[in-house]
Amino acid sequence: MKKFASLFLSLALLFSFVTNIQAEAKPISVWIDGEQVQLGENQPTMEKGTILVPAKTVLQKLDFQVNWDQKNKVISGKKQGLTLLFQIDNLGAMANETEIGLLAAPKVVKGTVYIPLRTVSEAAGYEITWNKEQRSVSLKENEPSKGFLWKVEKDGSTVYLLGSIHIANKAMYPLRSEIQKAYDASDYLVVEADISKMNDEKVQKQVLDLSVLKDNTTLKDHISADSYKKLGEILKENGLPENTLDTYKPWSVSSTVDYLSSAKEGYDSGIGIDAHFLQQSLENKKPILELESIEYQLNMFNNFSDKLQEEMLKGSIENYFAEVSGIEDLTKMWVTGNEEQLLELTKSASSNAELNKALLTDRNAPMVEKITGYLNDTTKKTYFVVVGAAHMLGENGIVPLLEKKGFTVVRQ
């Protein structure tokens, strides 16, 4: 009996070991929207917990156009304004202008390029899940964002109005197809300011010239001691000296703190709605028009009163330390296309008379005049206009002002 028990135990251990080996040897399967991707001999591999998949097959399955640059060892995929770049043995990928760190580098296996699946899926707007028991990875396309899109027509001329959020996270993509189709059908992209020029030397000089204090004062002289102390904590937390921004005006510092807040929560102006379409226009050489300019917007902030600038910075600091940031609600509002929330947001901006006048009232009227010009264009062109969503509604919003001029504005 003891001999039999010992044999049984040995067999149990042996078969348990074999079962584990078989489980580990089981190929990883890839599923996209419930359909298994047939990969043939080019099976996925796992490195450092990262699943690598044959790039061309998977990218094409996700509707990307694929290109291989043999000289630079770079494989790229393009899809509706999104360009992904992966370089062999490089731990940094690019999603449009944004660099993404990788845990495992792309590589070539038996002549086939392999890339990290998670990076591709999340950038393309898919949710990815891993089933350890089945060794299967599933991609499910996120619900498209509804956004805020209107259409105005006159005698063959068409203007699409898209209310934008200037910073975004990956959850805001993909956009619903109606938005992309409206852009594709347009002859021009129109933005508030062409932010693709921000790295131009001339623009950088303007930014610095307007941002820096020139009256022999420092930031300490323009804000409260408490705000300055909290600002120092923020800078220190981000690995910067506490006096880094001492020579800058409060409005400029406020912008910097807002950037740090958004980056901390995974938001990036590089994938904002306007940046998304600017990238497409630059690649497709679609003409870009501006309702304003970077210089105009810089001067607008620079002309804010000292009191308003200090209030802005104080608000930015409070937002940085807040447990729940309003940016999540802003994103949800845009994703769901909630017009009531957008109107409420617009009303809240009007509570400060100076801010409301500078940000909305003084800007919306000139924007409407330019849009009216597009609609009166006898060449019958189509314009895709992307401006901040807060400009659209409210008493002095672009939509009501166009309606007062006799145009019919239809929500899409």
Side-chain angles (χ1 to χ4, degrees), residues 286-344:
K286 180 173 288 192
I288 300 169
L289 304 176
E290 294 180 301
L291 292 175
E292 299 174 333
S293 67
I294 294 173
E295 183 179 8
Y296 172 89
Q297 294 190 352
L298 287 171
N299 279 300
M300 176 189 68
F301 283 105
N302 193 51
N303 290 329
F304 284 164
S305 67
D306 291 345
K307 181 182 178 182
L308 179 55
Q309 289 192 42
E310 184 178 10
E311 287 178 358
M312 286 173 57
L313 178 52
K314 184 179 179 182
S316 297
I317 292 170
E318 289 176 354
N319 184 62
Y320 183 91
F321 288 110
E323 291 185 11
V324 180
S325 171
I327 196 169
E328 291 288 347
D329 291 335
L330 193 66
T331 299
K332 185 177 180 181
M333 175 197 75
W334 203 89
V335 167
T336 59
N338 191 316
E339 201 166 306
E340 289 183 6
Q341 288 183 350
L342 177 57
L343 184 58
E344 191 63 33

Side-chain angles (χ1 to χ4, degrees), residues 382-393:
T382 299
Y383 298 79
F384 188 79
V385 179
V386 184
V387 297
H391 291 279
M392 292 300 182
L393 303 178

Side-chain angles (χ1 to χ4, degrees), residues 27-295:
I28 297 171
S29 60
V30 178
W31 300 72
I32 298 177
D33 289 332
E35 180 182 346
Q36 185 172 1
V37 181
Q38 301 303 318
L39 299 172
E41 296 180 356
N42 300 318
Q43 291 300 308
T45 64
M46 184 176 289
E47 291 185 9
K48 301 175 183 177
T50 297
I51 296 173
L52 298 172
V53 294
K56 185 176 180 180
T57 302
V58 172
L59 284 170
Q60 288 180 338
K61 191 68 178 177
L62 294 172
D63 297 324
F64 282 89
Q65 293 180 337
V66 183
N67 182 63
W68 168 246
D69 180 349
Q70 176 65 32
K71 180 180 178 181
N72 296 303
K73 305 296 182 185
V74 171
I75 192 163
S76 62
K78 293 185 178 181
K79 172 187 177 181
Q80 295 183 350
L82 173 63
T83 299
L84 299 177
L85 299 174
F86 296 88
Q87 186 175 45
I88 301 303
D89 297 327
N90 192 329
L91 285 171
M94 296 296 294
N96 290 342
E97 300 299 316
T98 303
E99 185 171 358
I100 303 172
L102 306 176
L103 294 176
K107 63 181 183 177
V108 177
V109 179
K110 297 180 181 179
T112 298
V113 177
Y114 278 69
I115 57 177
L117 179 59
R118 180 173 294 277
T119 303
V120 176
S121 61
E122 290 183 348
Y126 284 78
E127 181 182 351
I128 184 169
T129 55
W130 166 246
N131 186 312
K132 184 177 180 180
E133 288 72 26
Q134 297 296 323
R135 286 178 61 79
S136 66
V137 59
S138 300
L139 278 62
K140 182 179 180 182
E141 189 169 12
N142 293 328
E143 192 72 24
S145 290
K146 292 184 178 180
F148 300 97
L149 181 68
W150 290 265
K151 183 179 182 181
V152 197
E153 296 178 288
K154 182 190 176 185
D155 300 331
S157 296
T158 302
V159 169
Y160 289 100
L161 299 168
L162 181 66
S164 170
I165 295 181
H166 300 305
I167 60 173
N169 64 3
K170 294 173 184 175
M172 292 180 67
Y173 295 94
L175 309 181
R176 61 187 171 99
S177 60
E178 290 85 353
I179 295 175
Q180 184 64 42
K181 288 176 181 177
Y183 167 82
D184 292 338
S186 299
D187 300 293
Y188 297 92
L189 170 67
V190 186
V191 291
E192 292 177 33
D194 186 354
I195 57 174
S196 67
K197 300 175 182 176
M198 280 299 295
N199 290 326
D200 291 355
E201 186 177 345
K202 181 181 177 182
V203 175
Q204 287 291 308
K205 187 177 179 181
Q206 287 178 339
V207 173
L208 186 61
D209 184 58
L210 290 172
S211 299
V212 173
L213 291 162
K214 299 176 182 176
D215 56 1
N216 295 320
T217 63
T218 67
L219 185 63
K220 281 183 178 181
D221 300 312
H222 296 269
I223 63 176
S224 69
D226 182 59
S227 291
Y228 185 81
K229 179 184 176 183
K230 289 178 179 177
L231 174 64
E233 293 172 11
I234 293 172
L235 295 173
K236 188 176 180 181
E237 184 177 306
N238 286 275
L240 298 168
E242 296 174 47
N243 63 349
T244 300
L245 301 175
D246 277 10
T247 59
Y248 291 87
K249 297 175 183 177
W251 71 262
S252 178
V253 179
S254 174
S255 178
T256 300
V257 174
D258 288 341
Y259 168 78
L260 294 173
S261 295
S262 59
K264 183 175 66 170
E265 298 188 47
Y267 287 79
D268 183 2
S269 61
I271 58 172
I273 304 302
D274 43 353
H276 176 76
F277 288 106
L278 275 167
Q279 181 67 27
Q280 291 188 58
S281 292
L282 291 171
E283 290 181 1
N284 303 327
K285 294 182 171 53
K286 180 173 288 192
I288 300 169
L289 304 176
E290 294 180 301
L291 292 175
E292 299 174 333
S293 67
I294 294 173
E295 183 179 8

